[in-house]
Amino acid sequence: MFSIDQIYIDGAFVTPHGEERFELFNPTTENVIGTVRLADADDARRAIAAAKRALPAWSRTTLAERAALLRRMHAAMAAREDELFAAVVQEYGAPVAFARWTSRYAAQVFLDAIDAMEAHDFKRQLGTARVVMQPVGVVGMITPWNSNAGFIGSKLSMALAAGCTAVIKPSEMSALQTRIVTEALHEANAPAGVFNIVTGRGEVVGAAIVESPDVRKISFTGSTAVGKGILRAASNDVKRVTLELGGKSPTIILDDADFATAVPMAIQAGFMNSGQACIAGTRILVPRARLAEFEALAQAVVETTVAGDPANADTSVGPMVSRKQWERVQGYIRKGIDEGARLLAGGEGRPDGYTRGWLVRPTLFTGVRNDMTIAREEIFGPVLSIIAYDDEDEAIAIANDTSYGLSAYVATTSAERGARVAARIDAGRVMVNTLTHEPKAPFGGFKQSGIGREYGVFGLEAYLEPKTIIGL
Ligand code: NAD
């Protein structure tokens, strides 16, 4: 049992003014593994004041000074990779392959931010005007539990590169990861107040950050429902917002696809991070002429997908983060059956051999219509839907018939067809025959998947305001 009792304000670990204790669980065993003392609105205000005091000096640092700090932060985070890996597995049950990727990525983003900063024109001459990019100010950052360390790193590194200071409100369910990240970043010796980390409840600490007139921008990653509330609250003083929200991403299998690679890719796109990924490809669109062939192969892949203890190397689907999320996913599986979809693999309950733990059976439905609940709502678990289509136009229409627009996947043996379909899909990122990430390219959503972009030069610009100076 561990007990996390401190938050980080103005360059120091301090005891929160808030007194609430929040229990942390191991989702594989359902056992309580520790507690965290939560910050309150008072703590949020102290953190914001510290970030505000640190802003004038940090915003005037040279790019070389910023790069030096980001390099130290990278080194400190990289040194904690193994510790972070263990925390991610224990705290939310990430399977080892994803846990390794995300704990490495949480360090790598600091180098990516240096690249973006060095590639950016902070001063441009446009006609008679000099246009300078000015840091937006104090930034409030709010992260979800499903890649908490990675999002703290990607948001903070870009904000610092832009010359902003930050108040970070990590997910209250990620306190172990947050402790490791905070200790690492502290070792990097940033000027006091440049970043502050206050773990607390969203509706308390998150809301205090969003409401503060001293915070000029919010960068939020989380659910669409909470994101809409943040957008409304941010309108009070016209704060800048970047919102990275939910998804219901399509995987379009074109009729020329090589099923030997397309089927495993489609299932992997759906089950990444145990299905608890905003970019998961949860609607698999399959040409009707090849439906039976696809169903048989996909059923075999899902039936052999190992769900269970994430510490085992062959597990690719670990537990859901909480009992509430487990019950929610079970509800969706029931709903799919009730609405007439046909189960090809999985179903309600736990995987064989488990009587405890928030484990879900990897589930694949077919005969799904795009107007069914399981095709419309983000389930955030390992539950995939096969939807048949007749021709390419219909595939694109179904792919775009969603309130989301975060990612899309296309499987084809023709690069030309891949490009043609990608051009017609309304999503922030389209991946043709691949699941690899490109940190230099923008990431974010169309429609209700968000506003704005993160990563690379686009992500850097999200923390900058252009200022036009004429007459010099
Ligand atoms: P969530 O929206 O419940 O919580 C996200 C964060 O917001 C947490 O830190 C929470 O404490 C905080 N919060 C809650 N209420 C708040 C309020 N009223 N004011 C301010 N902050 C508040 O989401 P979650 O369950 O932690 O994460 C899962 C969701 O995140 C999914 O919908 C997923 O798709 C989305 N997500 C999106 C991306 C992306 O890049 N688009 C990435 C990962 C996760």
Side-chain angles (χ1 to χ4, degrees):
M1 283 281 279
F2 56 82
S3 167
I4 296 174
D5 302 310
Q6 292 189 309
I7 52 177
Y8 190 78
I9 297 179
D10 212 10
F13 288 90
V14 295
T15 301
H17 175 264
E19 290 180 349
E20 183 186 353
R21 288 220 157 257
F22 183 80
E23 286 187 328
L24 298 159
F25 294 85
N26 178 332
T28 313
T29 60
E30 301 183 27
N31 293 332
V32 175
I33 52 172
T35 62
V36 54
R37 179 167 166 170
L38 297 180
D40 65 10
D42 234 63
D43 295 308
R45 283 190 282 273
R46 276 194 296 150
I48 294 164
K52 190 179 174 187
R53 281 193 302 275
L55 182 68
W58 184 254
S59 63
R60 284 190 216 107
T61 46
T62 63
L63 298 194
E65 286 167 329
R66 293 179 200 169
L69 175 60
L70 293 170
R71 252 182 235 109
R72 294 199 301 276
M73 286 181 159
H74 167 261
M77 288 291 294
R80 299 296 189 105
E81 181 187 316
D82 288 344
E83 220 181 309
L84 197 53
F85 167 83
V88 167
V89 174
Q90 187 186 13
E91 188 168 64
Y92 83 88
V96 291
F98 186 84
R100 182 55 67 191
W101 184 86
T102 192
S103 23
R104 201 162 281 163
Y105 172 79
Q108 176 59 35
V109 287
F110 288 91
L111 298 183
D112 295 340
I114 298 175
D115 287 348
M117 183 181 77
E118 289 177 346
H120 191 63
D121 282 336
F122 283 82
K123 288 195 181 89
R124 270 167 276 187
Q125 190 69 30
L126 295 176
T128 58
R130 184 184 300 167
V131 177
V132 293
M133 301 300 281
Q134 181 168 318
V136 67
V138 173
V139 182
M141 303 173 175
I142 302 175
T143 65
W145 53 268
N146 74 333
S147 185
N148 176 60
F151 288 120
I152 291 177
S154 57
K155 291 179 194 302
L156 178 63
S157 58
M158 279 298 177
L160 294 179
C164 298
T165 60
V167 177
I168 302 166
K169 204 301 280 176
S171 170
E172 52 275 45
M173 285 192 276
S174 309
L176 252 188
Q177 286 176 66
T178 298
R179 177 166 72 179
I180 296 164
V181 171
T182 312
E183 287 171 359
L185 296 177
H186 175 68
E187 284 165 20
N189 257 324
V194 157
F195 74 93
N196 305 272
I197 303 185
V198 277
T199 298
R201 287 194 183 274
E203 62 277 22
V204 179
V205 174
I209 293 171
V210 175
E211 282 158 18
S212 169
D214 290 329
V215 173
R216 288 313 315 145
K217 178 184 171 93
I218 298 292
S219 178
F220 170 79
T221 300
S223 62
T224 295
V226 172
K228 286 179 183 175
I230 288 177
L231 188 57
R232 274 193 292 273
S235 74
N236 283 334
D237 58 356
V238 196
K239 271 189 186 60
R240 278 52 183 148
V241 289
T242 296
L243 302 177
E244 297 286 2
L245 310 176
K248 194 73 197 175
S249 298
T251 297
I252 304 179
I253 310 291
L254 292 179
D255 58 11
D256 65 348
D258 170 16
F259 281 10
T261 51
V263 174
M265 186 190 86
I267 303 303
Q268 208 189 328
F271 287 168
M272 63 174 84
N273 203 19
S274 311
Q276 301 176 116
C278 51
I279 55 171
T282 47
R283 295 182 297 140
I284 308 175
L285 314 190
V286 178
R288 205 177 299 279
R290 297 186 70 187
L291 183 61
E293 186 191 350
F294 189 93
E295 284 175 344
L297 291 168
Q299 181 178 33
V301 173
V302 175
E303 279 176 347
T304 52
T305 295
V306 179
D309 185 343
N312 297 335
D314 55 352
T315 295
S316 50
V317 173
M320 303 296 94
V321 69
S322 61
R323 175 182 302 283
K324 187 171 158 216
Q325 184 57 18
W326 184 83
E327 283 166 359
R328 204 168 156 260
V329 175
Q330 297 297 324
Y332 276 115
I333 296 174
R334 215 166 308 128
K335 186 100 183 160
I337 296 167
D338 291 347
E339 288 188 351
R342 185 161 63 84
L343 267 177
L344 273 182
E348 288 180 76
R350 291 183 171 80
D352 290 345
Y354 287 92
T355 52
R356 277 177 78 75
W358 298 317
L359 290 151
V360 173
R361 298 169 70 196
T363 295
L364 179 64
F365 280 107
T366 193
V368 177
R369 287 190 328 269
N370 202 45
D371 62 355
M372 290 179 179
T373 308
I374 54 169
R376 302 219 71 82
E377 296 181 9
E378 185 184 52
I379 298 174
F380 229 54
V383 181
L384 309 182
S385 295
I386 294 178
I387 303 172
Y389 70 83
D390 287 315
D391 57 29
E392 201 173 290
D393 281 347
E394 194 192 3
I396 289 161
I398 296 171
N400 288 337
D401 176 16
T402 168
S403 57
Y404 294 109
L406 192 57
S407 298
Y409 306 87
V410 181
T412 174
T413 48
S414 155
E416 195 195 327
R417 284 187 76 190
R420 189 171 73 209
V421 169
R424 295 177 64 193
I425 291 181
D426 301 331
R429 190 168 277 204
V430 183
M431 306 175 86
V432 182
N433 297 328
T434 184
L435 302 180
T436 51
H437 177 54
E438 174 46 74
K440 287 191 171 17
F443 175 81
F446 282 37
K447 299 191 271 183
Q448 293 189 36
S449 285
I451 293 180
R453 294 293 180 269
E454 292 195 285
Y455 303 139
V457 169
F458 287 84
L460 181 69
E461 286 196 342
Y463 295 103
L464 295 165
E465 292 267 24
K467 178 160 72 186
T468 295
I469 304 170
I470 305 174
L472 289 183

